[in-house]
Amino acid sequence: MAIFIIYAISLVYPFVYLLANSFKSYSEFAGLGDFATANIFGFPTRWIWDNFIKAFNELRVDTVKTNIGLMYLSSITLAIGETAVSMAMTCCAAYVLARFDFKGKKFVYNLVLVTSFIPAISSLPAIYTFMDNTKLINTYIGMLILNAAAFGGPFLFISSYFKMIPWSFAESAQMDGAGNFRIFTTIMIPLAKNGIITFTILKFLGFWNDYWYPQLFYSDYPTLAVGIAKITETERLPVVSAVMIMAIVPVLIFYAIFQKKLLANTLDGGLK
Amino acid sequence: MMKKRGLNLNNLSLTREKRKIERNKLAFVWLLLVLPLAHFAIFFLFSNVYSLVMSFQTETGQFTLLNYKHFFENFFVKQEVGGYVYINAILYSFFLGFNDVLLVFISTILAYFIFKKIPGRSIFRVVYFLPSIIAMTIYIMVFKYLLNNDTGFPQFLPDFLKFDMFKAGTFANKLAVPIYCLWVGTGYNVLVIGGAMSNVSPEILENAKLEGVSGVRELFDIILPTIWPTLTVSFIGSIGVVFTLFVQVSLLTGGAMGTQTIAYMINSLVGNDNNVAAALGIIFTVVAIPVILLVKKCLDKIGKRWGY
């Protein structure tokens, strides 16, 4: 039991550490000037907002001048766009491969499954060259295209959701004159909404927190994840803590709202 | 005669209608599939083939074997900085892969206790999921701060016990990534494996209990066989780590001496020397595929014994 508690504390403590330091002056943190000793782990003796103000004014990420507002903008626009595009692609592919029989279906399905075992390391140089040649590096549309992959883990889960929906719903709609597209958008997607919402949230969080692709393909517009990693090289810990707190808070609010759905749909049950 | 002709006409229009439905269905299927498949074709199939082509090219596009020669010539050459760079990167990558296997083992044992419904289970679930939703960069940076001599816990240690985990070239530096991975990875794995354990039929466990089966036997003879598919996915993921771990290395050690991984090496070349990066990518993919398939085959063999 003790091990579970200690481990849980170790995962929560970083937030306390960041919160306490984000409201301290650097002098207090490092024990300079009026402060005889460094106050690294305690709460501030004087709570100040200076670090948050600095975060809003100007931060430097490599050669790019930015601030927390711009980093937020980059993260939000990217995460929303990438999630929307990739979920649309995933739902389309998952639905037709789960519910329709057609020539080449087995080939497509097996190709996707087999190739998912191949690690993505060999394709990166070619992808970079492709993005560079097509002038898509450091463009929003480039990031959307890059992250629009339909296949992968969520594809398998969502196609299993579509498979579970009784086809009689579609047949009834067909008798009422509904076409394939209407059945897909007005019947199948709403019926599979539990799975779709869960993976939309997970994908959104994945894109929001992504570091690899944005630092490689979108470095002129640093996102929060990229910016935070870089500003640790130039800014002092209290300012970095303030930026981190501002990045964490919306995610925690999001988590507080959706945690039941997230935990239930992603963790319960495992694989059968 | 008229009736028969009418029937034939009906059949004909029915066949036409059927064909039209079939045509519409096919058009719908390919309309929905065309973009996902085009993306897959460009960003997976074409990019892998193009990487292969690039690996045999110079920057100006002429045919060369130099990119491969560079790798094989330097494989056994000790560099002034970094020693046997390639061998070290391969060994360190596999070391991190085994660390991930260890992580799955530890998580399985811990998940068993969570499964046994210890008090506070629901709070643990919420907390253990946190590293999956908070940006990895934040956890990595805080990990760095908390284990740093100046800003973290080591400052409370006596001098002879102090170690600098983030000083390049030290043994402690090599432990930064595996310890970080164990720290943030355990919680998520405990939850996933614990979730799989909830599939075990309570009746079977009840019967086992009545027959006096010990906790260890219950875990190894009943629970592990039931959750084998989940464990298989976790173990294959661990092997994937060998070839893909990059961000943690980049942010924790900066790829300092002896802490480079295969993915880190390739990534640091991308944008600077894409052709050498492509050659390395191809070499390690050729190694990765049989390794992953072999591990999968072994896991499937074990699974077959349990009826999967």
Side-chain angles (χ1 to χ4, degrees), chain A residues 142-163:
Chain A
M143 289 300 284
L144 294 194
I145 293 171
L146 185 63
N147 286 299
F151 304 110
F155 163 78
L156 294 175
F157 279 100
I158 290 173
S159 63
S160 72
Y161 270 93
F162 281 127
K163 269 182 199 162

Side-chain angles (χ1 to χ4, degrees), chain A residues 54-227:
Chain A
K54 161 103 174 110
F56 272 106
N57 285 338
E58 191 180 297
L59 298 164
R60 186 178 282 274
V61 176
D62 286 338
T63 53
V64 180
K65 278 182 188 170
T66 182
N67 60 41
I68 186 89
L70 290 174
M71 292 199 289
Y72 252 109
L73 193 68
S74 269
S75 291
I76 287 174
T77 49
L78 269 190
I80 290 176
E82 289 169 342
T83 307
V85 172
S86 76
M87 278 309 290
M89 298 272 271
T90 302
C91 286
C92 289
Y95 176 62
V96 289
L97 285 170
R99 300 307 321 222
F100 289 89
D101 284 320
F102 56 95
K103 235 183 191 174
K105 171 182 165 169
K106 219 172 182 179
F107 173 74
V108 171
Y109 207 81
N110 287 338
L111 185 74
V112 169
L113 277 187
V114 170
T115 50
S116 65
F117 282 110
I118 301 173
I121 43 171
S122 65
S123 55
L124 197 62
I127 291 175
Y128 188 89
T129 310
F130 172 78
M131 297 284 286
D132 197 21
N133 290 343
T134 49
K135 305 267 178 274
L136 286 172
I137 289 181
N138 279 317
T139 65
Y140 182 67
I141 195 85
M143 289 300 284
L144 294 194
I145 293 171
L146 185 63
N147 286 299
F151 304 110
F155 163 78
L156 294 175
F157 279 100
I158 290 173
S159 63
S160 72
Y161 270 93
F162 281 127
K163 269 182 199 162
M164 280 190 291
I165 300 169
W167 194 239
S168 52
F169 286 108
E171 283 167 346
S172 312
Q174 257 166 357
M175 278 179 204
D176 291 339
N180 286 313
F181 194 74
R182 235 181 87 197
I183 292 171
F184 173 52
T185 51
T186 60
I187 295 171
M188 291 300 168
I189 285 191
L191 285 172
K193 74 168 188 277
N194 268 353
I196 293 172
I197 290 173
T198 303
F199 284 100
T200 302
I201 297 168
L202 285 176
K203 276 207 174 195
F204 179 84
L205 288 171
F207 288 130
W208 175 266
N209 293 327
D210 187 21
Y211 172 81
W212 193 345
Y213 274 6
Q215 60 92 26
L216 201 57
F217 298 107
Y218 206 57
S219 54
D220 283 357
Y221 309 95
T223 58
L224 280 167
V226 174

